[in-house]
Amino acid sequence: MKKWIIALIVLVVIGFGLYNWAVGFNNTAISLNENVAQSWGNVQTAYQRRNDLIGNLVNTVKGAADFERNTLTDVIEARAKATSVNINPENISAEQLQEFNQAQGGLSSALSRLLVSVERYPELKANQNFLKLQDELTSTENTIQTARIRYNEAINPYNNHVKRFPNSILAGIFDFEGKPYFDAETGADQPVEVDFNFDDKES
């Protein structure tokens, strides 16, 4: 009889321990996941700010006489593509983040070509509205980099929590998956190629 009582007590203690472990894991995972979602929201806000500034910049550049249509078209199309990629941080995948990164990288490249092309237009270089937008874009790029770094920093403790054994067992049960990190934008380390052939301007 005593053996059954001891066995029952042991089972209760084990069950209580497993319950506390599961509850602790789940609550911590939820909290860390919320931090990731908040950090991703800051990333999106920073990129949205850049998209808005680029729209204003394009409208300003359109007013310059004889500005290259192709350069503007590239920026407009790249901006449309970048804003069309939407990601839910709750189930973000490496493929989705790569697609987002490529779209934003394409916009960065097109924007860089536009800003270099402005060197050919003294009236734009002297335009106070354009100069202000250019400064704000520079500031926003710094904000984006900071937001991306903080997003990666938020993912690190979350991934450690759900990927390490034995928590990885509960992660599968509670449907918590690891999240991908931001990598550098494709071509971010490459110089912008600009054709300084003035004869190629389009009216």
Side-chain angles (χ1 to χ4, degrees):
M1 184 71 177
K2 289 183 179 180
K3 290 182 179 179
W4 284 104
I5 293 175
I6 293 174
L8 182 61
I9 292 174
V10 170
L11 287 174
V12 169
V13 170
I14 292 174
F16 185 71
L18 290 173
Y19 173 78
N20 282 340
W21 173 43
V23 170
F25 166 83
N26 188 63
N27 289 344
T28 301
I30 289 174
S31 178
L32 293 173
N33 195 38
E34 284 299 310
N35 289 339
V36 171
Q38 182 181 30
S39 296
W40 177 253
N42 292 336
V43 170
Q44 287 185 309
T45 298
Y47 273 114
Q48 183 58 55
R49 170 64 175 162
R50 182 175 78 157
N51 289 336
D52 292 343
L53 288 172
I54 290 174
N56 293 336
L57 190 74
V58 167
N59 288 334
T60 300
V61 171
K62 278 181 179 178
D66 203 28
F67 194 86
E68 296 96 325
R69 252 186 220 169
N70 288 343
T71 305
L72 278 174
T73 300
D74 288 347
V75 172
I76 293 169
E77 290 179 351
R79 179 173 176 261
K81 183 176 181 180
T83 56
S84 69
V85 181
N86 297 312
I87 293 179
N88 181 353
E90 294 297 321
N91 54 15
I92 187 172
S93 67
E95 292 76 17
Q96 288 175 322
L97 194 58
Q98 183 180 21
E99 181 185 2
F100 179 88
N101 219 21
Q102 287 177 342
Q104 296 298 339
L107 179 54
S108 295
S109 179
L111 179 61
S112 294
R113 289 192 296 272
L114 184 147
L115 293 176
V116 172
S117 297
V118 167
E119 294 299 315
R120 309 175 188 178
Y121 299 87
E123 69 272 26
L124 276 175
K125 291 170 66 177
N127 185 309
Q128 292 303 310
N129 186 42
F130 177 85
L131 294 175
K132 180 182 177 182
L133 289 169
Q134 195 173 25
D135 287 342
E136 289 182 8
L137 271 170
T138 300
S139 175
T140 301
E141 290 292 346
N142 293 332
T143 301
I144 287 173
Q145 292 306 315
T146 300
R148 286 164 63 107
I149 290 170
R150 289 179 179 171
Y151 173 75
N152 281 350
E153 289 174 348
I155 285 181
N156 183 261
Y158 170 83
N159 279 353
N160 283 335
H161 183 67
V162 302
K163 287 184 174 183
R164 287 180 174 176
F165 184 83
N167 281 0
S168 56
I169 298 172
L170 292 179
I173 296 173
F174 291 112
D175 199 27
F176 287 105
E177 298 181 355
K179 298 181 186 294
Y181 290 93
F182 255 122
D183 292 325
E185 290 181 358
T186 304
D189 57 340
Q190 301 298 320
V192 178
E193 294 183 4
V194 181
D195 179 9
F196 284 103
N197 183 352
F198 283 60
D199 295 332
D200 289 341
K201 290 183 187 178
E202 291 184 24
S203 58

PDB file of all heavy atoms in Angstrom, residues 156-170:
ATOM      1  N   ASN A 156      17.084  36.620 -31.531  1.00  0.00           N
ATOM      2  CA  ASN A 156      18.093  35.764 -30.905  1.00  0.00           C
ATOM      3  C   ASN A 156      17.595  35.058 -29.644  1.00  0.00           C
ATOM      4  O   ASN A 156      17.674  33.821 -29.560  1.00  0.00           O
ATOM      5  CB  ASN A 156      19.356  36.576 -30.629  1.00  0.00           C
ATOM      6  CG  ASN A 156      20.457  35.734 -30.047  1.00  0.00           C
ATOM      7  OD1 ASN A 156      20.677  35.717 -28.837  1.00  0.00           O
ATOM      8  ND2 ASN A 156      21.168  35.005 -30.899  1.00  0.00           N
ATOM      9  N   PRO A 157      17.060  35.769 -28.640  1.00  0.00           N
ATOM     10  CA  PRO A 157      16.573  35.055 -27.451  1.00  0.00           C
ATOM     11  C   PRO A 157      15.367  34.171 -27.741  1.00  0.00           C
ATOM     12  O   PRO A 157      15.208  33.117 -27.116  1.00  0.00           O
ATOM     13  CB  PRO A 157      16.220  36.185 -26.471  1.00  0.00           C
ATOM     14  CG  PRO A 157      16.043  37.398 -27.313  1.00  0.00           C
ATOM     15  CD  PRO A 157      16.964  37.232 -28.474  1.00  0.00           C
ATOM     16  N   TYR A 158      14.529  34.599 -28.701  1.00  0.00           N
ATOM     17  CA  TYR A 158      13.370  33.766 -29.061  1.00  0.00           C
ATOM     18  C   TYR A 158      13.833  32.443 -29.652  1.00  0.00           C
ATOM     19  O   TYR A 158      13.373  31.370 -29.242  1.00  0.00           O
ATOM     20  CB  TYR A 158      12.471  34.510 -30.052  1.00  0.00           C
ATOM     21  CG  TYR A 158      11.398  33.632 -30.644  1.00  0.00           C
ATOM     22  CD1 TYR A 158      10.206  33.407 -29.969  1.00  0.00           C
ATOM     23  CD2 TYR A 158      11.584  33.000 -31.884  1.00  0.00           C
ATOM     24  CE1 TYR A 158       9.222  32.578 -30.507  1.00  0.00           C
ATOM     25  CE2 TYR A 158      10.614  32.179 -32.420  1.00  0.00           C
ATOM     26  CZ  TYR A 158       9.438  31.976 -31.725  1.00  0.00           C
ATOM     27  OH  TYR A 158       8.476  31.145 -32.252  1.00  0.00           O
ATOM     28  N   ASN A 159      14.734  32.511 -30.638  1.00  0.00           N
ATOM     29  CA  ASN A 159      15.234  31.285 -31.274  1.00  0.00           C
ATOM     30  C   ASN A 159      15.959  30.389 -30.277  1.00  0.00           C
ATOM     31  O   ASN A 159      15.813  29.162 -30.303  1.00  0.00           O
ATOM     32  CB  ASN A 159      16.158  31.627 -32.438  1.00  0.00           C
ATOM     33  CG  ASN A 159      15.395  31.983 -33.707  1.00  0.00           C
ATOM     34  OD1 ASN A 159      14.181  31.860 -33.768  1.00  0.00           O
ATOM     35  ND2 ASN A 159      16.102  32.436 -34.716  1.00  0.00           N
ATOM     36  N   ASN A 160      16.746  30.989 -29.391  1.00  0.00           N
ATOM     37  CA  ASN A 160      17.428  30.191 -28.373  1.00  0.00           C
ATOM     38  C   ASN A 160      16.428  29.474 -27.479  1.00  0.00           C
ATOM     39  O   ASN A 160      16.641  28.328 -27.075  1.00  0.00           O
ATOM     40  CB  ASN A 160      18.333  31.082 -27.513  1.00  0.00           C
ATOM     41  CG  ASN A 160      19.618  31.457 -28.220  1.00  0.00           C
ATOM     42  OD1 ASN A 160      20.079  30.758 -29.117  1.00  0.00           O
ATOM     43  ND2 ASN A 160      20.208  32.572 -27.825  1.00  0.00           N
ATOM     44  N   HIS A 161      15.337  30.143 -27.179  1.00  0.00           N
ATOM     45  CA  HIS A 161      14.327  29.569 -26.290  1.00  0.00           C
ATOM     46  C   HIS A 161      13.601  28.388 -26.926  1.00  0.00           C
ATOM     47  O   HIS A 161      13.367  27.377 -26.273  1.00  0.00           O
ATOM     48  CB  HIS A 161      13.319  30.652 -25.885  1.00  0.00           C
ATOM     49  CG  HIS A 161      12.287  30.185 -24.908  1.00  0.00           C
ATOM     50  ND1 HIS A 161      12.584  29.824 -23.612  1.00  0.00           N
ATOM     51  CD2 HIS A 161      10.937  30.010 -25.047  1.00  0.00           C
ATOM     52  CE1 HIS A 161      11.471  29.451 -22.993  1.00  0.00           C
ATOM     53  NE2 HIS A 161      10.456  29.553 -23.847  1.00  0.00           N
ATOM     54  N   VAL A 162      13.236  28.524 -28.193  1.00  0.00           N
ATOM     55  CA  VAL A 162      12.408  27.479 -28.819  1.00  0.00           C
ATOM     56  C   VAL A 162      13.219  26.386 -29.511  1.00  0.00           C
ATOM     57  O   VAL A 162      12.693  25.303 -29.786  1.00  0.00           O
ATOM     58  CB  VAL A 162      11.413  28.083 -29.834  1.00  0.00           C
ATOM     59  CG1 VAL A 162      10.521  29.116 -29.159  1.00  0.00           C
ATOM     60  CG2 VAL A 162      12.136  28.690 -31.035  1.00  0.00           C
ATOM     61  N   LYS A 163      14.492  26.643 -29.792  1.00  0.00           N
ATOM     62  CA  LYS A 163      15.289  25.661 -30.531  1.00  0.00           C
ATOM     63  C   LYS A 163      16.118  24.740 -29.642  1.00  0.00           C
ATOM     64  O   LYS A 163      16.476  23.636 -30.047  1.00  0.00           O
ATOM     65  CB  LYS A 163      16.214  26.373 -31.531  1.00  0.00           C
ATOM     66  CG  LYS A 163      15.497  26.943 -32.738  1.00  0.00           C
ATOM     67  CD  LYS A 163      16.497  27.533 -33.731  1.00  0.00           C
ATOM     68  CE  LYS A 163      15.810  27.976 -35.010  1.00  0.00           C
ATOM     69  NZ  LYS A 163      16.787  28.493 -36.004  1.00  0.00           N
ATOM     70  N   ARG A 164      16.446  25.201 -28.449  1.00  0.00           N
ATOM     71  CA  ARG A 164      17.299  24.399 -27.586  1.00  0.00           C
ATOM     72  C   ARG A 164      16.525  23.250 -26.924  1.00  0.00           C
ATOM     73  O   ARG A 164      15.377  23.412 -26.517  1.00  0.00           O
ATOM     74  CB  ARG A 164      17.937  25.274 -26.503  1.00  0.00           C
ATOM     75  CG  ARG A 164      19.036  26.186 -27.024  1.00  0.00           C
ATOM     76  CD  ARG A 164      19.634  27.015 -25.909  1.00  0.00           C
ATOM     77  NE  ARG A 164      20.777  27.795 -26.364  1.00  0.00           N
ATOM     78  CZ  ARG A 164      21.426  28.663 -25.609  1.00  0.00           C
ATOM     79  NH1 ARG A 164      21.039  28.883 -24.365  1.00  0.00           N
ATOM     80  NH2 ARG A 164      22.465  29.326 -26.093  1.00  0.00           N
ATOM     81  N   PHE A 165      17.186  22.115 -26.853  1.00  0.00           N
ATOM     82  CA  PHE A 165      16.603  20.957 -26.169  1.00  0.00           C
ATOM     83  C   PHE A 165      16.654  21.203 -24.648  1.00  0.00           C
ATOM     84  O   PHE A 165      17.642  21.739 -24.147  1.00  0.00           O
ATOM     85  CB  PHE A 165      17.401  19.699 -26.538  1.00  0.00           C
ATOM     86  CG  PHE A 165      16.843  18.441 -25.972  1.00  0.00           C
ATOM     87  CD1 PHE A 165      15.807  17.782 -26.604  1.00  0.00           C
ATOM     88  CD2 PHE A 165      17.353  17.919 -24.791  1.00  0.00           C
ATOM     89  CE1 PHE A 165      15.287  16.617 -26.075  1.00  0.00           C
ATOM     90  CE2 PHE A 165      16.837  16.762 -24.255  1.00  0.00           C
ATOM     91  CZ  PHE A 165      15.808  16.101 -24.895  1.00  0.00           C
ATOM     92  N   PRO A 166      15.614  20.839 -23.893  1.00  0.00           N
ATOM     93  CA  PRO A 166      14.412  20.105 -24.299  1.00  0.00           C
ATOM     94  C   PRO A 166      13.242  21.002 -24.720  1.00  0.00           C
ATOM     95  O   PRO A 166      12.165  20.503 -25.021  1.00  0.00           O
ATOM     96  CB  PRO A 166      14.065  19.326 -23.025  1.00  0.00           C
ATOM     97  CG  PRO A 166      14.480  20.250 -21.923  1.00  0.00           C
ATOM     98  CD  PRO A 166      15.708  20.958 -22.404  1.00  0.00           C
ATOM     99  N   ASN A 167      13.462  22.329 -24.703  1.00  0.00           N
ATOM    100  CA  ASN A 167      12.370  23.225 -25.092  1.00  0.00           C
ATOM    101  C   ASN A 167      11.880  22.963 -26.512  1.00  0.00           C
ATOM    102  O   ASN A 167      10.713  23.223 -26.830  1.00  0.00           O
ATOM    103  CB  ASN A 167      12.820  24.684 -24.991  1.00  0.00           C
ATOM    104  CG  ASN A 167      12.808  25.195 -23.557  1.00  0.00           C
ATOM    105  OD1 ASN A 167      12.469  24.473 -22.628  1.00  0.00           O
ATOM    106  ND2 ASN A 167      13.193  26.449 -23.380  1.00  0.00           N
ATOM    107  N   SER A 168      12.771  22.471 -27.365  1.00  0.00           N
ATOM    108  CA  SER A 168      12.386  22.198 -28.752  1.00  0.00           C
ATOM    109  C   SER A 168      11.241  21.180 -28.832  1.00  0.00           C
ATOM    110  O   SER A 168      10.469  21.184 -29.793  1.00  0.00           O
ATOM    111  CB  SER A 168      13.600  21.691 -29.536  1.00  0.00           C
ATOM    112  OG  SER A 168      14.162  20.547 -28.919  1.00  0.00           O
ATOM    113  N   ILE A 169      11.137  20.312 -27.811  1.00  0.00           N
ATOM    114  CA  ILE A 169      10.032  19.340 -27.779  1.00  0.00           C
ATOM    115  C   ILE A 169       8.703  20.079 -27.627  1.00  0.00           C
ATOM    116  O   ILE A 169       7.741  19.836 -28.365  1.00  0.00           O
ATOM    117  CB  ILE A 169      10.224  18.338 -26.621  1.00  0.00           C
ATOM    118  CG1 ILE A 169      11.514  17.536 -26.815  1.00  0.00           C
ATOM    119  CG2 ILE A 169       9.023  17.397 -26.516  1.00  0.00           C
ATOM    120  CD1 ILE A 169      11.881  16.670 -25.627  1.00  0.00           C
ATOM    121  N   LEU A 170       8.666  20.997 -26.660  1.00  0.00           N
ATOM    122  CA  LEU A 170       7.440  21.761 -26.421  1.00  0.00           C
ATOM    123  C   LEU A 170       7.163  22.735 -27.561  1.00  0.00           C
ATOM    124  O   LEU A 170       5.996  23.026 -27.860  1.00  0.00           O
ATOM    125  CB  LEU A 170       7.541  22.528 -25.102  1.00  0.00           C
ATOM    126  CG  LEU A 170       7.548  21.678 -23.824  1.00  0.00           C
ATOM    127  CD1 LEU A 170       7.669  22.575 -22.606  1.00  0.00           C
ATOM    128  CD2 LEU A 170       6.275  20.835 -23.726  1.00  0.00           C
TER     129      LEU A 170
END
